[in-house]
Every structure is written in structure tokens, then in C-alpha cells.
Amino acid sequence: MSVMSRELPPAPGMTLVPGGAEFAVYAAHATGVTLSLDDGHRERRVELEGPLHGWWCADLPGVGPGTRYTLHADGPVDPGRSLRYDARTPLLDPYARALDFGGSAVVIDPTFDWGGDVPPRHPWSSSVLYEGHVRGLTMLHPGIPSHLRGTYAGLGHPALIEHLHRIGVTTLELLPVHAFVSEPALLQRGLINYWGYNSLGFFAPHGRYAAAADPQGVVDEFKAMVRALHAGGIEVILDVVYNHTAEQGIDGPTLSWRGLDAAAYYRIDAFGRDVDMSGCGNTVDLCHPVACQLVLDSLRYWVGEMHVDGFRFDLAVALGRDKNGDYDPDHPFLVALRTDPLLSTTKLVAEPWDIGFGGWRTGQFPPPFSEWNDRFRDDVRTFWLSDVASVLGGGPGHGSRMLATRLAGSQDLFGHGHRAPTASINFVTAHDGFTAADLTAYDEKHNEANGEGNRDGASHNRSWNHTVEGPTDDEAVNAARRRSIRNLLGTLLISSGVPMLCAGDEFGRTQYGNNNAYCQDNEISWLDWRWEPWQAELVDQVAALTRLRREHAVLRQRRFLTGDPVYEGGPADVSWRSPEGTPLGAQEWEDPATRSFSMLLGSANAAETDILLIVNGQTHPVQMTLPDIPGRQRYRLMWDSAAEEADLSREDERGFGDQVKAAPCSLQVWASVG
């Protein structure tokens, strides 16, 4: 059948059919599109027919897996409309499922033996996220064969899965795995884009992350990784970059979308210039139906064909801006995600900001989205680090009110629109910024290796070096730093919301003060699995905290706390006490000198345990009174950040009204007994 006898174009991209393939690509402003094919035996060019509703199409007898192909589009050159067609430029298919290292799309065989793969589907309230990089996680792992380190296969290796189990991780969040390239400016400095936020294709897995050497093998290896992680009970969610592409601004390379139809794929101003809300030179225009379809089709492919469990959307505000550039929570793209029968059942996480006007939107995404909570990050760092440094120097702090708000699930940000504490993805560190250990060891960033004169990266980190910049042999300083790390991770793992660990923080990894290691594909970024004794102890601490979270439902709140009794005659779901055991009033909450308090979480089930959190942000010990709990008899100490060892078998039990000493700058967890 002639393509032009169709009333509708075939599915976008290359689709295998009996005897060959069908192909379609959108290029509404082009005057002609040619497909160059190479099956390893011969090369041929096919003039596509069209445009049919803007699509150029072909039936391709004999095309099968392994065929390589590129596109060439001809058309007008009109910079005022952002049209710069050049038929000499080879272009990638936006729907390419695989790419080779020579810059061609490759047809793949989509069949794969999933072996009864079943997604783990951990509820948000029971989830512990672990953000990591495909290469960085395993490049130095001694328990993984050398030829698999830094690859998808390495992530699926039992040695890594065992570690994730040990520290209580349910969900692996991977930095971008879509095919990407390095920016020319980085290559000129002898560096590469390590993080991967520079997408070249929205369907193809990045080939350099595979042990396999051929495009089909790359795709199959990614699937095998997901299968292995699922078998180990670990979900896989992808950090996806749909807000911009590797083509950058108009001075950047023309690789695919710009050469096909820039006016359809990108936000363009009245003068034909790219509107940049990403900081990377361009912004994908999800107000255009073809661009919106592309992103939705990509998401469905990664769930349906690659079996991933969800997505973290980079600069998600850019995806929800309307034609006027204003953020709209009811943007058609966001509505489509929320209503799609496949995608709406996955984990959807927004990075709720971009660099455009009004770009900070934490708390403003609709359900079922969860969001990275940058206020949690900032307030926890402030309380345990920068405020402590200020107080020690004779300056003021910020009190305890904001830390208490974060412990309770950030209702100020998410307590509207039928949302819950699980809308908050809590984190104190992420790939972008200091590691937890570096937060305690550096007051200033040290990004000289990036070749930008230390001008890149954030300068206000709310960190504290504990009086010495960088590594030191002073054991008192190192002990204080270790306690601060435990305070940060302890607060993260006992707060209401969904905790996200940055890979390696559980054993105190360092990036040597680099807080923007986006171009460091080396030991600065790779996890060093050779642990000193204190690092092994820290792993045990993290494991103990995630175990507490699993075993005590009050640490996994599904609803916001109200202060009301959880059952007749029982305790309130939350109550706040001073060190003397009296209720904290508004005046105390507003007092910047208030840095010690307790938080009692009452269990909704009398058969379950209540939890008391004791927070001492003072730089001296504080005696804390243990409050009464109706129907209970006493408390047992479950965890103390002042202790170097995580020992949940201790028998430190106290009665109601007893006073316990909270060490300087420490956090304790007590459970009700009897």
C-alpha cells in the first residue's frame, strides 16, 4: 500500500512488521526527507512520502534488526522562524531505540525473555530511594568482575543488590541513562559530561554504560539489569531530561530535532530564537502536540518495554509551562501523565524548579506526583551545621520550628490538594552538591578540577567544616564530623515523607570538596568501596535507621499529623515537648534560642509502638524529661547519634518522668514499651 494512500501516518519511528518495517518522522516545515539505510551489505536512500499531517513516511521491505539509518531533511532557511534546514546534515530519528557509536540509529529486535518479571511496587510510604550513577556505583566495587564494573550488568550484580538490601533501599534512582553526548566546551577542556543531563535520544539507553559492544546488546543488557533488580525486590526509576536536548542554542550542534522541525520541538520566541528555561540553550516545547507525544511515547516505552518503575523529571517546571511561559499544574502534559493508565501507576517525581521566571514551585505539583523537597535539605543542613557553627561563634541560630516542620512531613508545602507526607521526597544531599561527609568537612567549594576557575557550583551550601577545611588528623574534629553525618542521615531516615539517600553517603564518601562534579568521570565521582572502620560503622547506622523505619509505622506516616488523639484514651498522633516535658508554645517555637525539644509520635494502633524523638541542637548536654504515654509503661532507647556504634540490642529502659541526658548536637530515638 502506498504511504500516501493512508489516512493517518504509521507509528512514529521505525516499527518492525512482517517482511520489513514502517517508518514515520515529523518534519512539518520540510520540503523533503530522505532516509539513508545500511544493513551491512548495502547502503540505500529512500525518499520519504509526505507530509501527511506533518509526518513523512515509508514502507521499508527487507529492513530488520541491525539496520543502521540516518535522516536528511531539506527545506527553507528562515532564522526568523527558527528554520535552518540543511539536507547535507545527517539527523537521528527522535524515536530511535538504539544508537551506535558512529552516530546512527539502529533497528533492534524488541523481543526479550523477561522470565516472569514482576515489578516490586513498593508503596511510597515504605520506600527508601537511593540516587546513584550507573558508572560511579560500581567502577571501584571489588565484588563485581572488572569487565562488568561501571555497567548496567554491574548494577544487576548480586554484590550491589546485597548492599542495597543491607541498607534498606527499596528503589534505585539512576542518573540519566538516555543516550547523551558531551558539550563541545567540555571536550575542549579534556573533560566529558559525566552526569548525562544532555540528551541525544529519549528512547535509546546510553551505550557507554553497557558491557555489551553492540546496540542490540546494550538494550538487552539494560533489560537484564532491570530484571535482576526486580528479582531482588529493588525498583528502578530513571532521572529523565525532557526539558532540553543536546542541541543547545542555535550555535550548538544540529543532531536531530532542530534539523527536522525546530519550531515544533522547541520553545521559540517571536524572533526565532530559543527560549532557554533550562540553562542549557533550549527548552522542549510540550505545548506542541508532537513534542508532547514524543515525551509521552518515550515514557510509555521505558515502562512498557524496558519495565522501569517510574521517573524523576529534571527541571519539571519547564515541562508544565503554558504558551505564555507560566507554570500550570493542569498543563496538558501533566494531565496526560496523571490520567494515562500505564504511567499514572508508576512513581512520578518532580524536580520542582527551573531557571525561568517564577521557577521555584516546590509543593505545587498535582497528585500523584511526589517532589524533591529542597526546603527539607536546606532546613536540616541549617539546623545541624550552619546554625551550630553560628552559635559556637557567638552568633544567632534559626531555632527549631523549621526542623520540626520537616520532621513532621512538610505540611506547610504539601498539606493541600489532597496530598500527603509521601509527596515530599526528603533529601539532604543529591548528585548536585556536597556529599554528606563533605558538608561536614568544607566551608567552601573546591571545584578547580572542573576547569572553570572554581566559579561553577553553588556557593551557599549551609555546610560547616568543624573548624578545619578539608581532611585532618585531629580526632576530635573527625569525631564531631561523624556525629554531624549521623545527625543528617538520622533526621532524613526518621522524618515523615520519602527519604532519598545519595549513593555513598551511607559510608561517608567524599568528592574532596567538589560540589559540582558533573564532568568528573574518575575517582572524584566514583564510589570507593574500601572502607575504614568508621565507614563500616556508618553503614550499620544507616541499616539500623532504615530497620527502625520499616518496623515502626509511625515513622511512615500516610497522613499529616493533627495533634488529636489517635484513639480514645490514647496519645495524640504528635505532641511537642520542651526539655522539661511541658508542651511547647508558640513563643518558644519562634524563639531562635529554642534548639532542644522532643517529638512524641503516637501509634494509631494500641498494639504497635509509639516513638519519641529527642532533638538537642545545643552545643552542650541537655537533660530531657520523658513524657507520659497513656496505656504505656516505659521507654527503650533505640538509636542515639552520639553513639559511634549502632546497637539496637541495648537494654537502656527508662520510666515516664525520668530525665535522660542528650549529648551536644545529637538525636535520639526512643520506643514505648509495655
Coordinates of all heavy atoms in Angstrom, one line a residue, residues 355-402:
I355 N 15.0 27.4 35.7 CA 15.6 28.7 35.8 C 14.8 29.9 35.3 O 15.2 31.0 35.3 CB 17.0 28.7 35.2 CG1 16.9 28.7 33.6 CG2 17.9 27.6 35.7 CD1 18.2 29.1 32.9
G356 N 13.6 29.6 34.8 CA 12.7 30.6 34.2 C 12.1 31.4 35.3 O 12.2 31.2 36.5
F357 N 11.4 32.5 34.9 CA 10.7 33.4 35.8 C 9.7 32.6 36.6 O 8.9 31.8 36.1 CB 10.0 34.5 35.1 CG 9.3 35.5 36.0 CD1 9.9 36.4 36.8 CD2 7.9 35.4 36.1 CE1 9.3 37.3 37.6 CE2 7.2 36.3 37.0 CZ 7.9 37.2 37.7
G358 N 9.7 32.8 38.0 CA 8.7 32.0 38.8 C 9.0 30.5 38.8 O 8.1 29.7 39.0
G359 N 10.3 30.2 38.7 CA 10.7 28.8 38.6 C 10.7 27.9 39.8 O 10.8 26.7 39.7
W360 N 10.6 28.5 41.0 CA 10.6 27.7 42.2 C 9.2 27.3 42.6 O 8.4 28.2 42.9 CB 11.3 28.4 43.4 CG 11.4 27.6 44.6 CD1 12.3 26.6 44.9 CD2 10.5 27.6 45.7 NE1 12.1 26.0 46.1 CE2 11.0 26.6 46.6 CE3 9.3 28.3 46.1 CZ2 10.3 26.3 47.8 CZ3 8.7 28.0 47.3 CH2 9.2 27.0 48.1
R361 N 8.8 26.0 42.5 CA 7.4 25.6 42.6 C 7.3 24.4 43.6 O 6.4 23.6 43.4 CB 6.8 25.2 41.3 CG 6.8 26.4 40.3 CD 5.6 27.4 40.7 NE 5.6 28.5 39.8 CZ 4.6 29.4 39.8 NH1 3.6 29.2 40.6 NH2 4.6 30.5 39.0
T362 N 8.2 24.3 44.6 CA 8.1 23.2 45.5 C 6.7 23.2 46.2 O 6.3 24.2 46.7 CB 9.2 23.3 46.5 OG1 10.5 23.4 45.9 CG2 9.2 22.1 47.5
G363 N 6.1 22.0 46.1 CA 4.8 21.9 46.7 C 3.6 22.2 45.8 O 2.5 22.1 46.2
Q364 N 3.9 22.5 44.6 CA 2.8 23.0 43.7 C 2.5 22.0 42.5 O 1.9 22.4 41.6 CB 3.2 24.3 43.1 CG 3.3 25.4 44.2 CD 3.7 26.7 43.7 OE1 3.2 27.2 42.7 NE2 4.6 27.4 44.4
F365 N 3.1 20.8 42.6 CA 2.7 19.8 41.6 C 1.5 19.0 42.0 O 1.3 18.8 43.2 CB 3.9 18.9 41.3 CG 4.8 19.5 40.3 CD1 5.7 20.5 40.6 CD2 4.9 19.0 39.0 CE1 6.6 21.1 39.7 CE2 5.7 19.6 38.0 CZ 6.6 20.7 38.4
P366 N 0.7 18.6 41.1 CA -0.5 17.9 41.5 C -0.3 16.4 41.8 O 0.7 15.8 41.4 CB -1.4 18.0 40.2 CG -0.4 18.0 39.1 CD 0.8 18.8 39.6
P367 N -1.2 15.8 42.6 CA -1.0 14.3 42.8 C -1.3 13.6 41.5 O -2.0 14.1 40.6 CB -2.2 14.0 43.8 CG -3.1 15.2 43.7 CD -2.3 16.4 43.3
P368 N -0.6 12.5 41.3 CA 0.1 11.7 42.2 C 1.6 12.0 42.3 O 2.4 11.2 42.7 CB -0.1 10.2 41.7 CG -0.1 10.4 40.2 CD -0.8 11.7 40.0
F369 N 2.0 13.1 41.8 CA 3.5 13.5 41.8 C 4.0 13.6 43.3 O 3.3 14.1 44.2 CB 3.7 14.9 41.2 CG 3.8 14.8 39.7 CD1 2.8 15.0 38.9 CD2 5.1 14.5 39.1 CE1 2.9 15.0 37.5 CE2 5.2 14.5 37.7 CZ 4.1 14.7 36.9
S370 N 5.2 13.1 43.5 CA 6.0 13.5 44.6 C 7.0 14.4 44.1 O 7.3 14.6 42.9 CB 6.6 12.2 45.3 OG 5.6 11.4 45.8
E371 N 7.7 15.2 45.1 CA 8.6 16.2 44.7 C 9.8 16.2 45.5 O 9.8 15.9 46.7 CB 7.9 17.6 44.8 CG 6.6 17.8 44.1 CD 6.0 19.1 44.4 OE1 6.7 20.1 44.5 OE2 4.8 19.2 44.5
W372 N 11.0 16.5 44.9 CA 12.2 16.8 45.7 C 11.9 18.0 46.6 O 11.6 19.0 46.1 CB 13.4 17.1 44.7 CG 14.1 15.9 44.2 CD1 13.6 14.6 44.1 CD2 15.5 15.8 43.8 NE1 14.6 13.7 43.7 CE2 15.7 14.5 43.5 CE3 16.5 16.8 43.7 CZ2 17.0 14.1 43.0 CZ3 17.7 16.4 43.2 CH2 18.0 15.0 42.9
N373 N 12.2 17.8 47.9 CA 11.9 18.8 48.8 C 13.2 19.6 49.2 O 13.9 19.2 50.1 CB 11.2 18.2 50.1 CG 10.8 19.3 51.0 OD1 11.1 20.5 50.9 ND2 10.0 18.9 52.0
D374 N 13.5 20.6 48.5 CA 14.7 21.4 48.7 C 14.7 22.1 50.1 O 15.7 22.4 50.7 CB 15.0 22.3 47.6 CG 13.8 23.3 47.3 OD1 12.7 22.8 47.3 OD2 14.1 24.5 47.0
R375 N 13.4 22.4 50.5 CA 13.3 23.0 51.9 C 13.8 22.1 53.0 O 14.3 22.5 54.0 CB 11.9 23.5 52.1 CG 11.5 24.7 51.2 CD 12.1 26.0 51.7 NE 11.6 26.3 53.0 CZ 10.5 27.0 53.3 NH1 9.7 27.3 52.3 NH2 10.2 27.3 54.5
F376 N 13.5 20.8 52.8 CA 13.9 19.8 53.8 C 15.5 19.8 53.8 O 16.1 19.9 54.8 CB 13.4 18.4 53.4 CG 13.8 17.3 54.4 CD1 12.9 16.9 55.3 CD2 15.1 16.7 54.3 CE1 13.3 15.9 56.3 CE2 15.4 15.8 55.2 CZ 14.5 15.4 56.2
R377 N 16.1 19.8 52.6 CA 17.5 19.8 52.5 C 18.1 21.0 53.2 O 19.0 20.9 54.1 CB 17.9 19.9 51.0 CG 19.4 20.1 50.8 CD 19.6 20.5 49.3 NE 19.0 21.8 49.1 CZ 18.7 22.4 47.9 NH1 19.0 21.7 46.8 NH2 18.2 23.6 47.8
D378 N 17.6 22.2 52.9 CA 18.1 23.4 53.5 C 17.9 23.6 55.0 O 18.8 24.0 55.7 CB 17.5 24.6 52.8 CG 17.9 24.7 51.3 OD1 18.8 24.0 50.9 OD2 17.3 25.5 50.6
D379 N 16.7 23.2 55.5 CA 16.4 23.4 56.9 C 17.2 22.4 57.7 O 17.6 22.7 58.9 CB 14.9 23.2 57.1 CG 14.1 24.4 56.5 OD1 14.7 25.5 56.4 OD2 12.9 24.3 56.3
V380 N 17.4 21.2 57.3 CA 18.1 20.2 58.0 C 19.6 20.6 58.1 O 20.2 20.5 59.2 CB 17.9 18.8 57.4 CG1 18.8 17.7 58.1 CG2 16.5 18.3 57.6
R381 N 20.1 21.0 57.0 CA 21.5 21.4 57.0 C 21.7 22.6 57.9 O 22.7 22.7 58.7 CB 22.0 21.8 55.6 CG 22.1 20.7 54.6 CD 22.6 21.2 53.3 NE 22.8 20.2 52.2 CZ 23.3 20.4 51.1 NH1 23.8 21.6 50.8 NH2 23.4 19.4 50.2
T382 N 20.8 23.6 57.8 CA 20.9 24.8 58.7 C 20.9 24.4 60.1 O 21.7 24.9 60.9 CB 19.7 25.7 58.4 OG1 19.8 26.2 57.0 CG2 19.7 26.9 59.3
F383 N 20.0 23.5 60.6 CA 19.9 23.2 62.0 C 21.1 22.5 62.5 O 21.7 22.9 63.6 CB 18.6 22.4 62.3 CG 18.4 22.1 63.7 CD1 17.7 23.0 64.5 CD2 18.9 20.9 64.3 CE1 17.5 22.7 65.8 CE2 18.7 20.7 65.7 CZ 18.0 21.6 66.4
W384 N 21.6 21.5 61.8 CA 22.7 20.7 62.3 C 24.1 21.2 61.9 O 25.0 20.7 62.5 CB 22.5 19.2 61.8 CG 21.4 18.5 62.3 CD1 20.3 18.0 61.7 CD2 21.2 18.1 63.7 NE1 19.5 17.3 62.5 CE2 20.0 17.4 63.8 CE3 21.9 18.4 64.9 CZ2 19.5 16.9 65.0 CZ3 21.4 17.8 66.1 CH2 20.2 17.1 66.1
L385 N 24.2 22.1 61.0 CA 25.5 22.5 60.5 C 25.7 24.0 60.7 O 26.4 24.5 61.6 CB 25.8 22.1 59.1 CG 25.8 20.6 58.9 CD1 25.9 20.2 57.4 CD2 26.9 19.9 59.6
S386 N 25.1 24.8 59.8 CA 25.5 26.3 59.8 C 25.0 27.0 61.0 O 25.7 27.9 61.5 CB 24.9 26.9 58.5 OG 23.5 26.7 58.4
D387 N 23.9 26.6 61.6 CA 23.4 27.2 62.9 C 24.4 26.8 64.0 O 24.6 27.6 64.9 CB 22.0 26.8 63.2 CG 21.0 27.8 62.6 OD1 21.4 28.6 61.8 OD2 19.8 27.6 62.9
V388 N 24.8 25.6 64.1 CA 25.7 25.2 65.1 C 27.0 26.0 65.0 O 27.6 26.5 66.0 CB 26.1 23.7 65.1 CG1 27.1 23.3 66.1 CG2 24.8 22.9 65.3
A389 N 27.5 26.1 63.8 CA 28.7 27.0 63.6 C 28.5 28.4 64.1 O 29.4 29.0 64.7 CB 29.2 26.9 62.2
S390 N 27.3 28.9 63.8 CA 27.0 30.3 64.2 C 26.9 30.4 65.7 O 27.5 31.3 66.3 CB 25.6 30.7 63.6 OG 25.3 32.0 64.0
V391 N 26.2 29.5 66.4 CA 26.1 29.5 67.8 C 27.5 29.4 68.5 O 27.8 30.1 69.4 CB 25.2 28.4 68.3 CG1 25.2 28.3 69.8 CG2 23.7 28.7 67.8
L392 N 28.3 28.5 68.0 CA 29.6 28.4 68.6 C 30.5 29.6 68.4 O 31.3 29.9 69.2 CB 30.4 27.2 67.9 CG 29.9 25.8 68.4 CD1 30.6 24.7 67.5 CD2 30.3 25.6 69.9
G393 N 30.2 30.4 67.4 CA 30.9 31.6 67.2 C 30.2 32.8 67.8 O 30.6 34.0 67.6
G394 N 29.2 32.6 68.7 CA 28.6 33.6 69.4 C 27.4 34.3 68.6 O 26.9 35.3 69.1
G395 N 27.1 33.8 67.5 CA 26.0 34.3 66.7 C 24.7 33.7 66.9 O 24.5 32.8 67.8
P396 N 23.6 34.1 66.2 CA 22.3 33.6 66.4 C 22.1 32.3 65.5 O 22.8 32.0 64.6 CB 21.4 34.7 65.9 CG 22.2 35.3 64.8 CD 23.6 35.3 65.3
G397 N 21.0 31.6 65.9 CA 20.6 30.5 65.1 C 19.2 30.8 64.5 O 18.7 31.9 64.6
H398 N 18.5 29.8 64.0 CA 17.2 29.9 63.5 C 16.1 29.2 64.3 O 15.0 29.1 63.9 CB 17.1 29.4 62.1 CG 17.9 30.3 61.1 ND1 19.2 30.1 60.9 CD2 17.5 31.3 60.3 CE1 19.6 31.0 60.0 NE2 18.6 31.7 59.6
G399 N 16.5 28.7 65.5 CA 15.5 27.9 66.3 C 15.2 26.6 65.7 O 15.9 26.0 64.8
S400 N 14.1 26.0 66.2 CA 13.7 24.6 65.9 C 12.5 24.5 65.0 O 12.1 23.4 64.6 CB 13.5 23.8 67.2 OG 14.7 23.8 68.0
R401 N 11.8 25.6 64.8 CA 10.5 25.5 64.2 C 10.5 24.8 62.8 O 9.7 23.9 62.5 CB 9.8 26.8 64.1 CG 8.4 26.8 63.4 CD 7.8 28.2 63.6 NE 8.6 29.2 62.8 CZ 8.4 29.5 61.5 NH1 7.5 28.8 60.8 NH2 9.1 30.4 60.9
M402 N 11.5 25.2 62.0 CA 11.5 24.6 60.6 C 12.0 23.2 60.6 O 11.5 22.4 59.8 CB 12.4 25.5 59.7 CG 11.9 26.9 59.5 SD 10.1 27.0 59.2 CE 10.0 26.0 57.7

